[in-house]
Amino acid sequence: GSVIAKMLRKPAWRFLARGSSTMSGFRVSQLVTPERRTMLYYFVNFTSSGAAVAYAGIWFASQGLTSGEIGIVNSLSVFLLLGLNIVVGRIADKARDWRQVIIGGALMSAIVPIGLFFSRGFLPILIVWTCIAVPYAAISPVADAAALRMTRRNGTEFGTIRAFGTVGYMVSNAVTGVLVSAFSGAIFIPFYVGLNLARGVVALWLPKFRAPPVAETVSAVAGPPLAGRLREVMKPWFVLPIFGSAVV
């Protein structure tokens, strides 16, 4: 017993113990990279859009909205975003990190959908739906710019991260159809609200996107990226969503 106690007191054993904890932390950091956290956000972020495209129009009609009123509900947020995107972009540039702006918009668009449970008629639905769509759409360009900057700095692929958004959109689109078929249209609002809440929660786990002021980045060493070439972006994850939107 005393021999073992003396061995445990030796610096080598302390080093091995520290090494074990360091290796454990290393494995965790390799599994939970900034890119993978951003991938998860993109996947969840686009699920609400997939659900809305699949059934929102039908739900509006079930609430007594006319085709003209449904068009106004869908277009008002787009009109407001024409000027708001510039403002949001300036706020993001002045923020300490783009992550703060993304989280703010994600939390706002996560809480407001709860109002759909109490919205009846054209005007209440118009107000709530616009307050959902505006912050959601306003932070999307900020998230794209932040993720693109992060991948350039780390030498990783932005296309892979963005593809998870397309996957989330398609999965949610299909799941919405299955749920409505199984439980009727009454399931749409709880499901849609849940997806928006999930985005707000996942956004809290986003990494910091800005590089340290004095950090040497991969893009600075390797030179300008080659994404400007057309063949660099003509890939399935980019072309298929465009084709699908055109068909719709």
Side-chain angles (χ1 to χ4, degrees), residues 74-86:
N74 287 325
S75 61
L76 180 58
S77 59
V78 178
F79 175 76
L80 294 176
L81 283 166
L82 293 176
L84 189 60
N85 270 333
I86 299 175

Side-chain angles (χ1 to χ4, degrees), residues 188-199:
F188 172 68
I189 292 302
F191 181 59
Y192 180 74
V193 171
L195 294 176
N196 282 280
L197 288 172
R199 177 174 58 245

Side-chain angles (χ1 to χ4, degrees), residues 175-245:
V175 170
T176 302
V178 172
L179 290 176
V180 169
S181 298
F183 302 101
S184 79
I187 195 66
F188 172 68
I189 292 302
F191 181 59
Y192 180 74
V193 171
L195 294 176
N196 282 280
L197 288 172
R199 177 174 58 245
V201 172
V202 172
L204 296 174
W205 203 41
L206 281 171
K208 292 183 178 180
F209 291 107
R210 288 193 187 275
V214 295
E216 186 176 44
T217 64
V218 173
S219 59
V221 175
L226 300 178
R229 297 178 181 177
L230 183 60
R231 63 183 178 81
E232 294 287 336
V233 297
M234 296 302 290
K235 297 179 181 179
W237 60 264
F238 180 78
V239 176
L240 291 179
I242 296 177
F243 177 76
S245 299

Side-chain angles (χ1 to χ4, degrees), residues 125-175:
I125 291 176
L126 174 65
I127 294 173
V128 174
W129 194 262
T130 302
C131 290
I132 296 170
V134 167
Y136 165 70
I139 62 173
S140 293
V142 178
D144 288 342
L148 183 60
R149 180 69 62 87
M150 178 189 68
T151 53
R152 285 182 180 178
R153 182 173 69 248
N154 296 341
T156 50
E157 290 289 337
F158 171 72
T160 304
I161 295 176
R162 183 59 182 80
F164 271 78
T166 304
V167 173
Y169 176 92
M170 294 189 296
V171 169
S172 174
N173 199 285
V175 170

